[in-house]
Amino acid sequence: MLFAGVVVAVSFFTACSDDPAGSETDITVTAEFTADPNEPKAGETVTLNAEASSVSEGSPEFNWALAAPSGSEAEIDNPNSVTASFEVDEVGDYDVTLTVSSGDANDTASLTVKGLSPVEELSGNISEDTTFPSNTSYRVVGNVKVNNGATLTIEPGVIIEFEAETLFEVTDGAKLSAIGTEQDSIKFTGTEKNAGWWDGVFFNRVTHPDNEMEYVIIEYAGGASIHSSIPETGLAVGRSLYDARMSLNNSTIRHSGGLGLFIHANGAMPGSANNTFTDNTTGAAGVYTSTMHFLDSSSTYTGNDEDYVLVEANTLSDDATWQALDVPYATYGDASLNDAELTIEPGARFAFDAQSGLVINSGTIIAEGTEDDPILFTGLREEAGWWDGIFVTKTTHPDNLLNYIIVEYAGNEAAHGSTVPANLTVARSLYDASVSIKNSVFRNGAGVGLNIHSNGDIPGSENNTYTKNTEGPVELPTSKMHYLDSGSSFTGNADGEDFVWVNGNTREGDATWQPLNVPYGMKGSSTVEDGELTIEPGAIFAFDSQSDLVFGSSSVIRAIGTEDDPILFTGIREEPGWWNGITVSKTEHPDNAMEYVTIEYGGGEEFHSSTEPANLTIGRSLYDAYLSVTNSTIQDSDDVGIYIHSNGATNANICSDNDFSGNAGDDCSDNQ
């Protein structure tokens, strides 16, 4: 029974004859009543009950009045009783007024009872243009198909009740226009109010741009899958092999036995907005990667048994924007971007299933959050290595940007055989890639936070944080070290892994190596050629076993520290001979200089048969070299401290201008 009274209390003053002073007494009257049912169908009787009315003194008197719609002959039975009734005989509004009085005091309450048409049973095909008039009611007793190019128009106030396991399908080029209003919505409901009672609404093989549902309620559907490519859902758009298109605005899908909404990869919902998906069993909505952009941030997706939008991974090949929803996108499988521009809005959240990931192939990625609303890429479980991570490959578009994003719990497996597990991987063998990374966080990965392949670039990157990653903050080749900035943080990773890992290769072109808040962990042989390398004060390089640093042809070395911030070249282990040392060969540039530099624990192997093992080697047979070394410390070599070949040249007082200690061989072997 629906409460439907307007409560008004009015006080009147009446003289009491037994009061010798002629004082006045307040009488309060309140009129209040209910109507059951409040939306009756023609032929039904409406019961009016005023038992909730009250008077402060005396006995209440009741007077019911009815204003019926045109053509109606309805009248109030027992119009002066506390309970009354009338029979609905026309579709329309029945305005009921109750007046309650006691003495000279009275109060009035009123409401409108909406008379609906008798229930019409529906089943089978609607193959001709048809209209369901306002405030009519229908009962679906068998599957209904709007087909054969027909247009079905559903007007405001229509109620369609579905019996168990029935389906409403718009197919074969048909068109549905179901446009309610905020006051008079259109309702698709079940004959029983149980989640999954009926199967749902299905748009299939219809691409008319005017297919539209607005101010519609779909409830208690999602009983069974309506096609092998569609899960249980209240509303389905598209299926395998066939396209479908419709728009949904200002509508509610609730109490589904499955999803509220499902948009297949062949489905489209352009222009949809301001919808509510709530109290659905398996989630608010299900989409593919290629249909995620049809979901809008003005809609509400919370209050479901599973508060996610479920995403079946496939390939996005058209420009799209992924909006920030009030729940995360839960992604299953590897979602990829090909030949399209993808924009991700601030505050968007993506939770990936096990062994899932995001692959940016050819195209453009612009994921730009804000400090207050970062974009989050996480796992469905908060477990290091739960998902694979983000992989940027085959795209060098200058607009590629990751700004104010968080990537966490990834690094399950490498994106490619030429890479290592990481939260974010840039490039792979055979394919170039570049992306700018700013103000972002890479944490809790099972691999490294960031892996840059030798074919990868991260231009303009700055102010990032790499922490709590099992294998360290970053892994990259020598040729890409210049992309790391001193404004970023690389600390707090797994024990013993607070190194930026550098895989030795050849660096060509001018570059600057900045000091980080962790050492560069140098692996293998790193070579600098054909360009000027500047190493800033405070930079630390810790070399792995049998590793080295070589300055080759046409290179210029400027390693200038300060007394307070020297540059350190050391071993990962503090053990003489742990690494091979630094060699300057094939470069005679007069600006080659090291100042306030410490080189220690080298001398593992000689650079060339014409030299000796040393922390620092200058020159070799057949190749001339020049290097000035001042105010530096050369110590704990397993052999010579500085070895100067006969083809090497240095500042005149190299052996006296520097400090030497703990070297197993000569401190300064000058063969000039």
Side-chain angles (χ1 to χ4, degrees):
M1 183 176 292
L2 180 65
F3 173 75
V6 176
V7 179
V8 180
V10 181
S11 296
F12 288 84
F13 300 94
T14 59
C16 297
S17 59
D18 58 353
D19 185 347
S23 62
E24 295 179 335
T25 303
D26 293 344
I27 299 177
T28 302
V29 179
T30 301
E32 186 174 333
F33 73 97
T34 59
D36 182 33
N38 196 46
E39 292 186 346
K41 301 175 178 64
E44 287 188 310
T45 296
V46 177
T47 299
L48 306 172
N49 189 326
E51 291 178 352
S53 299
S54 63
V55 297
S56 60
E57 290 187 18
S59 299
E61 296 180 1
F62 301 92
N63 184 30
W64 298 91
L66 177 67
S70 176
S72 172
E73 297 180 356
E75 294 181 350
I76 296 285
D77 293 330
N78 302 317
N80 300 117
S81 174
V82 66
T83 60
S85 63
F86 68 92
E87 183 177 334
V88 173
D89 59 354
E90 292 287 341
V91 174
D93 292 340
Y94 292 77
D95 297 320
V96 182
T97 302
L98 168 66
T99 300
V100 180
S101 59
S102 178
D104 292 333
N106 63 77
D107 185 29
T108 300
S110 62
L111 62 79
T112 297
V113 174
K114 186 179 294 295
L116 305 177
S117 65
V119 174
E120 179 180 337
E121 291 189 348
L122 292 177
S123 181
N125 297 326
I126 299 175
S127 302
E128 298 179 352
D129 293 353
T130 303
T131 296
F132 291 174
S134 292
N135 303 317
T136 54
S137 297
Y138 300 86
R139 181 184 294 264
V140 175
V141 297
N143 291 346
V144 171
K145 283 189 177 183
V146 186
N147 60 9
N148 197 37
T151 296
L152 173 62
T153 302
I154 304 178
E155 294 184 343
V158 170
I159 297 176
I160 307 175
E161 293 183 325
F162 290 79
E163 291 192 349
E165 301 178 1
T166 55
L167 172 69
F168 187 90
E169 182 176 0
V170 184
T171 187
D172 295 332
K175 172 188 162 186
L176 175 68
S177 177
I179 312 297
T181 67
E182 188 171 4
Q183 293 74 29
D184 276 327
S185 60
I186 296 166
K187 183 178 288 188
F188 293 76
T189 189
T191 54
E192 297 287 340
K193 308 310 180 189
N194 299 322
W197 179 254
W198 59 291
D199 291 348
V201 178
F202 180 25
F203 285 82
N204 173 33
R205 293 186 289 184
V206 286
T207 57
H208 197 288
D210 293 336
N211 271 313
E212 185 174 6
M213 303 180 85
E214 184 165 9
Y215 288 110
V216 169
I217 297 171
I218 302 173
E219 59 185 10
Y220 304 110
S225 173
I226 54 185
H227 185 265
S228 59
S229 63
I230 299 173
E232 294 84 356
T233 187
L235 171 63
V237 184
R239 52 156 283 198
S240 62
L241 302 179
Y242 294 109
D243 297 341
R245 171 192 175 106
M246 59 88 65
S247 66
L248 182 73
N249 290 282
N250 304 302
S251 295
T252 298
I253 304 180
R254 63 194 181 195
H255 310 310
S256 169
L259 297 168
L261 166 71
F262 180 74
I263 309 174
H264 192 271
N266 292 324
M269 266 182 45
S272 299
N274 299 316
N275 300 300
T276 298
F277 307 91
T278 192
D279 198 27
N280 300 295
T281 303
T282 58
V287 292
Y288 281 75
T289 306
S290 58
T291 57
M292 290 170 65
H293 60 286
F294 293 122
L295 302 181
D296 67 291
S297 57
S298 66
S299 292
T300 299
Y301 304 85
T302 58
N304 299 279
D305 291 359
E306 298 288 339
D307 262 344
Y308 294 100
V309 164
L310 307 182
V311 181
E312 183 72 24
N314 72 341
T315 298
L316 176 64
S317 301
D318 297 304
D319 294 353
T321 296
W322 291 348
Q323 300 184 43
L325 310 182
D326 55 4
V327 299
Y329 299 91
T331 301
Y332 298 81
D334 286 333
S336 61
L337 173 69
N338 283 352
D339 299 320
E341 179 175 292
L342 172 62
T343 300
I344 304 178
E345 293 191 342
R349 293 171 291 162
F350 305 85
F352 289 82
D353 195 21
Q355 299 181 326
S356 299
L358 176 60
V359 181
I360 310 300
N361 285 314
S362 52
T364 307
I365 172 70
I366 303 172
E368 189 162 14
T370 67
E371 185 173 7
D372 293 332
D373 279 314
I375 297 167
L376 175 64
F377 300 90
T378 188
L380 281 171
R381 289 189 187 176
E382 294 182 351
E383 180 180 313
W386 179 254
W387 62 293
D388 292 345
I390 301 175
F391 183 23
V392 181
T393 179
K394 305 182 188 179
T395 171
T396 57
H397 198 284
D399 292 340
N400 285 337
L401 174 64
L402 305 175
N403 189 21
Y404 284 112
I405 74 166
I406 298 170
V407 186
E408 61 185 11
Y409 303 113
N412 173 70
E413 60 183 21
H416 183 261
S418 61
T419 66
V420 299
N423 279 4
L424 171 64
T425 301
V426 182
R428 50 157 284 197
S429 64
L430 302 180
Y431 294 107
D432 297 340
S434 65
V435 60
S436 180
I437 310 167
K438 299 181 178 182
N439 306 301
S440 295
V441 178
F442 303 86
R443 65 192 181 197
N444 301 112
V448 294
L450 168 67
N451 178 215
I452 307 174
H453 189 269
S454 58
N455 290 327
D457 297 305
I458 55 168
S461 298
E462 59 187 11
N463 299 322
N464 301 301
T465 298
Y466 307 88
T467 191
K468 298 181 182 179
N469 299 293
T470 304
E471 300 297 328
V474 178
E475 182 166 330
L476 77 173
T478 307
S479 57
K480 308 301 175 181
M481 291 170 63
H482 61 289
Y483 286 126
L484 301 184
D485 66 293
S486 56
S488 292
S489 177
F490 304 85
T491 61
N493 295 278
D495 290 345
E497 298 297 339
D498 260 348
F499 294 94
V500 165
W501 293 113
V502 179
N503 296 313
N505 73 344
T506 299
R507 167 68 213 174
E508 295 181 349
D510 296 347
T512 297
W513 292 349
Q514 299 183 45
L516 309 180
N517 59 358
V518 299
Y520 295 91
M522 310 295 288
K523 298 180 179 182
S525 183
S526 297
T527 301
V528 178
E529 292 183 347
D530 299 319
E532 180 173 321
L533 176 66
T534 299
I535 302 178
E536 293 186 344
I540 300 173
F541 304 84
F543 288 80
D544 201 7
S545 175
Q546 298 182 325
S547 297
D548 52 54
L549 176 60
V550 178
F551 293 93
S553 59
S554 302
S555 64
V556 180
I557 171 60
R558 299 286 296 165
I560 310 299
T562 67
E563 186 173 6
D564 293 331
D565 275 317
I567 296 168
L568 175 63
F569 299 92
T570 187
I572 288 179
R573 288 190 188 177
E574 295 180 352
E575 179 181 314
W578 179 254
W579 62 294
N580 293 338
I582 300 173
T583 296
V584 180
S585 174
K586 305 182 188 179
T587 170
E588 298 179 86
H589 200 284
D591 291 339
N592 287 340
M594 291 184 175
E595 185 170 12
Y596 288 110
V597 166
T598 297
I599 307 174
E600 61 186 11
Y601 302 116
E605 293 183 2
E606 71 274 12
F607 167 68
H608 185 263
S609 59
S610 63
T611 64
E612 295 182 21
N615 275 357
L616 173 62
T617 299
I618 304 172
R620 53 156 283 195
S621 64
L622 302 179
Y623 295 107
D624 297 335
Y626 171 79
L627 176 67
S628 171
V629 183
T630 56
N631 298 309
S632 294
T633 299
I634 315 298
Q635 61 189 15
D636 297 314
S637 169
D638 198 38
D639 203 321
V640 177
I642 298 178
Y643 179 84
I644 308 166
H645 191 272
S646 58
N647 288 330
T650 69
N651 51 306
N653 300 315
I654 187 172
C655 293
S656 59
D657 285 349
N658 300 286
D659 294 328
F660 299 88
S661 66
N663 298 301
D666 295 337
D667 286 334
C668 187
S669 177
D670 190 349
N671 299 298
Q672 297 178 80

